[in-house]
Amino acid sequence: MAPKGAAKNVDPASVDSAWKVLQMKMNEKKQQSLAAKTTTTSKNPPAQKSHTRKRKQMFDQEKEAAKAKVSKVEADTLVLSSCRERGELTPILALDCEYVGVGSEGRDDSLARVSVVNEQGKVVYDKFVASKERIVDFRTQVSGIRAKDLVNAPSFESVRSEVHSLLSNRTIVGHALHNDFRVLQLNIPRKFSRDIAKSRFLRKESKSGDRPSLRGYAEKLLGITIQDGEHDSIVDARVALRIYLLHKKQIEEELARYK
């Protein structure tokens, strides 16, 4: 027997042979493991890819929906805000006017305020207008116009000239625009007018009658309340613009059909 602690004599040939057997077994296990992974992967690759693709599509849709919701909130907030930030002229403008009553009983309309906003809802023009005739009824409860607003106001002729220059060769959006054009004494070519009150599509969409009010449109199409008391021509112009831009495709298609 070899002394305790003495090195054991090992046959190199037996070690080499055992080592080879171990290596072979290890390689076999490795290959089996790789084969199993390949089989598992190859069984359902389309399903896995499809699942991943669907998840991405859902994520993208949720992201777009969230962006759209934020954009709507921002747009509706601007519509109702008292912001009077000035903006540049754009190819599309929205117009709204306020009138006072003249004539023997105050039933005739006289221009008292003109507001024009651009495509971003920013103010391009907003002026009170001096009446050429004696004002019988300021119609304050609706128009929001008071006598003090018209003190030193520019003349009808100067305002008319400025507004005509602004609107020329641009798309004009508004509600019951024929009344505004009448009081402004402007003859705007029909191809530039986008009167949302005359849109059959919008009347149907809002389930309104033949003479839909802007207030009704705002409630049914935008879910907001306006004209709860005195009117604001800037807000009214923005509401008309907002409705037009939301349904621009359908409105333009409708106009093309009835040309």
Side-chain angles (χ1 to χ4, degrees):
M1 177 180 289
K4 188 175 181 181
K8 294 182 180 179
N9 292 323
V10 180
D11 184 358
S14 64
V15 171
D16 187 54
S17 176
W19 176 245
K20 286 180 179 179
V21 171
L22 181 60
Q23 280 187 320
M24 287 175 64
K25 288 184 178 180
M26 289 175 66
N27 285 336
E28 285 179 6
K29 287 185 177 180
K30 187 176 181 181
Q31 289 174 1
Q32 289 173 356
S33 177
L34 287 173
K37 285 182 180 180
T38 303
T39 302
T40 303
T41 305
S42 62
K43 278 183 181 179
N44 298 309
Q48 289 180 349
K49 289 182 180 178
S50 175
H51 181 65
T52 303
R53 187 163 52 247
K54 285 181 180 178
R55 287 183 62 186
K56 186 178 184 302
Q57 288 175 347
M58 288 177 63
F59 175 77
D60 290 342
Q61 289 172 357
E62 289 174 358
K63 187 177 178 182
E64 289 303 315
K67 285 171 64 178
K69 188 174 182 180
V70 170
S71 297
K72 183 182 185 306
V73 170
E74 290 176 345
D76 290 346
T77 300
L78 174 60
V79 164
L80 296 172
S81 76
S82 58
C83 174
R84 297 296 184 262
E85 182 181 352
R86 293 280 169 169
E88 301 295 326
L89 287 171
T90 53
I92 298 175
L93 299 174
L95 166 74
D96 192 78
C97 300
E98 300 296 346
Y99 323 136
V100 290
V102 297
S104 59
E105 297 180 1
R107 293 181 179 178
D108 296 331
D109 297 328
S110 178
L111 186 66
R113 184 184 180 187
V114 185
S115 300
V116 180
V117 300
N118 66 13
E119 289 181 57
Q120 289 77 47
K122 295 180 180 179
V123 179
V124 170
Y125 190 91
D126 184 38
K127 286 187 178 181
F128 291 105
V129 186
S131 176
K132 294 190 292 184
E133 302 178 55
R134 183 178 70 87
I135 299 173
V136 176
D137 185 359
F138 282 91
R139 303 175 183 173
T140 306
Q141 69 277 11
V142 175
S143 70
I145 304 296
R146 292 168 173 77
K148 65 179 182 179
D149 296 325
L150 306 185
V151 175
N152 298 322
S155 69
F156 171 82
E157 288 77 14
S158 66
V159 170
R160 178 186 180 279
S161 177
E162 290 171 350
V163 173
H164 182 264
S165 178
L166 288 175
L167 303 186
S168 293
N169 297 316
R170 289 186 169 84
T171 298
I172 312 304
V173 177
H175 180 271
L177 278 174
H178 58 283
N179 287 328
D180 292 342
F181 293 156
R182 170 179 56 81
V183 175
L184 278 163
Q185 297 178 15
L186 292 178
N187 184 21
I188 302 296
R190 187 177 176 183
K191 66 179 180 179
F192 293 120
S193 177
R194 299 295 183 273
D195 191 340
I196 64 171
K198 294 182 178 180
S199 170
R200 298 182 186 182
F201 168 79
L202 291 178
R203 290 203 297 266
K204 183 178 179 181
E205 188 74 7
S206 62
K207 298 179 181 178
S208 301
D210 293 334
R211 300 181 66 183
S213 67
L214 184 62
R215 178 187 172 94
Y217 269 170
E219 289 177 350
K220 294 176 181 178
L221 299 176
L222 299 180
I224 59 178
T225 300
I226 63 169
Q227 300 177 347
D228 192 12
E230 297 177 11
H231 294 195
D232 183 328
S233 50
I234 290 179
V235 170
D236 290 353
R238 285 172 174 167
V239 168
L241 175 71
R242 178 84 174 116
I243 291 170
Y244 169 75
L245 293 178
L246 278 174
H247 303 284
K248 182 179 178 181
K249 181 176 181 293
Q250 294 88 342
I251 293 172
E252 292 300 329
E253 288 176 349
E254 179 181 67
L255 287 172
R257 285 198 303 272
Y258 293 104
K259 273 186 178 179

